[in-house]
Amino acid sequence: MLLTNLDIICRKWLLERSLPIHFYSEALYHSSAAVMQLTQDTLQIINSANLPVGDYGEVDLPDDFDDDLAVCVPSGQALIHLPKQDWITPLRIHDTTSGAFVPYNELSDDDEDLPAFWGFGSGWSYFWNVDSYGGYTGRQFGNTGGTSLGYKVIKERRQIQLTEGLNEQNIVLLYISDGQRADNASQIDTKATKCIQTYIDWQRSPNSTNEHSPEAMTFWNQKRRLKTLLNPLTKIDIINIFRSAYTATIRM
């Protein structure tokens, strides 16, 4: 990947339009606005961060966080992805004496490992359906898979809340940056140069608020072209997907 920055893009735009350096600040303002718009769906800036986990399972979000791609637990060179759990409450409990936040695992009862059904532990059914030799005969229904471990992004707290079963010291967050901290030194893919320049032309035209103007349509066309250029899918990848989905068996 070849990278450029907004300073080079703006100066190149000034030279191509035969404009003096006095228009540099205006071009820089419009180009940074273009980066903010492109990062929403096209020129997504994907960052990774190794973040510490707090006392009650909270993780502070980075300042430029826009959306999460994955929350992972590091295991050597591998990253184990955690599932999202929407049932996690966004509320926090305070200790009435000290006022500090209390972890939820301190409130749960760890003595009972199995849930109860009508006052009886559900584990009895595993030892009930047996034959005279002690073999399990089945008839155990309703068991589900999956895990209750996971996370939830709570944007009003600017935090990630982990479930109480996770005892990790740090997690790895893959996220999309909001792009609002772009300046003249921000690194931009060179494929986006033409798209950003057409956005500057659109915003400097009398039709800056008209999304259906000729200047705006030029920008939308360049944005679609940028999506095509940034698409990593190739012919070899498509062929490999078909071959990986094919399963052969021995004919008897």
Side-chain angles (χ1 to χ4, degrees), residues 21-249:
I21 196 64
H22 305 85
F23 293 90
Y24 175 83
S25 59
E26 182 183 0
L28 182 61
Y29 172 77
H30 293 316
S31 61
S32 61
V35 172
M36 286 190 289
Q37 183 167 350
L38 292 175
T39 51
Q40 296 177 6
D41 57 357
T42 306
L43 192 66
Q44 294 182 344
I45 302 176
I46 300 176
N47 294 335
S48 59
N50 193 352
L51 304 175
V53 180
D55 296 334
Y56 55 93
E58 87 286 0
V59 180
D60 294 332
L61 292 173
D63 294 336
D64 59 340
F65 175 86
D66 181 66
D67 196 8
D68 63 300
L69 296 177
V71 174
C72 311
V73 175
S75 177
Q77 289 185 326
L79 292 177
I80 302 175
H81 290 237
L82 297 177
K84 289 185 177 180
Q85 303 292 357
D86 293 332
W87 52 263
I88 299 177
T89 175
L91 304 177
R92 292 177 288 187
I93 299 178
H94 295 79
D95 186 274
T96 56
T97 303
S98 63
F101 294 122
V102 179
Y104 284 97
N105 54 6
E106 294 184 1
L107 304 175
S108 59
D109 187 5
D110 297 330
D111 296 334
E112 183 67 31
D113 296 330
L114 296 174
F117 180 74
W118 293 102
F120 297 94
S122 61
W124 62 271
S125 59
Y126 285 97
F127 310 99
W128 183 268
N129 299 325
V130 294
D131 55 20
S132 57
Y133 295 99
Y136 183 58
T137 59
R139 296 191 299 278
Q140 174 71 27
F141 308 105
N143 293 320
T144 59
T147 177
S148 60
L149 301 178
Y151 73 98
K152 180 179 181 179
V153 177
I154 306 175
K155 290 191 175 182
E156 60 267 27
R157 284 169 39 188
R158 295 290 301 174
Q159 287 181 337
I160 296 174
Q161 183 64 53
L162 304 177
T163 53
E164 60 264 25
L166 287 171
N167 297 319
E168 301 294 332
Q169 299 297 323
N170 61 296
I171 55 97
V172 175
L173 173 64
L174 305 179
Y175 67 98
I176 299 176
S177 174
D178 58 7
Q180 294 188 8
R181 285 152 187 84
D183 53 21
N184 60 348
S186 298
Q187 298 295 303
I188 307 296
D189 196 318
T190 55
K191 300 183 182 68
T193 300
K194 192 65 177 179
C195 185
I196 295 175
Q197 289 179 342
T198 54
Y199 184 86
I200 300 175
D201 292 332
W202 173 28
Q203 292 303 306
R204 293 193 71 251
S205 70
N207 302 317
S208 59
T209 58
N210 185 3
E211 294 186 354
H212 303 285
S213 63
E215 296 85 359
M217 298 307 298
T218 303
F219 168 71
W220 300 128
N221 291 333
Q222 288 295 331
K223 185 177 180 181
R224 284 192 290 268
R225 179 175 176 270
L226 177 60
K227 283 186 177 181
T228 304
L229 294 176
L230 295 177
N231 192 345
L233 194 63
T234 62
K235 176 183 176 181
I236 302 300
D237 297 329
I238 297 176
I239 294 176
N240 186 59
I241 292 173
F242 281 108
R243 289 176 177 174
S244 300
Y246 178 78
T247 303
T249 184

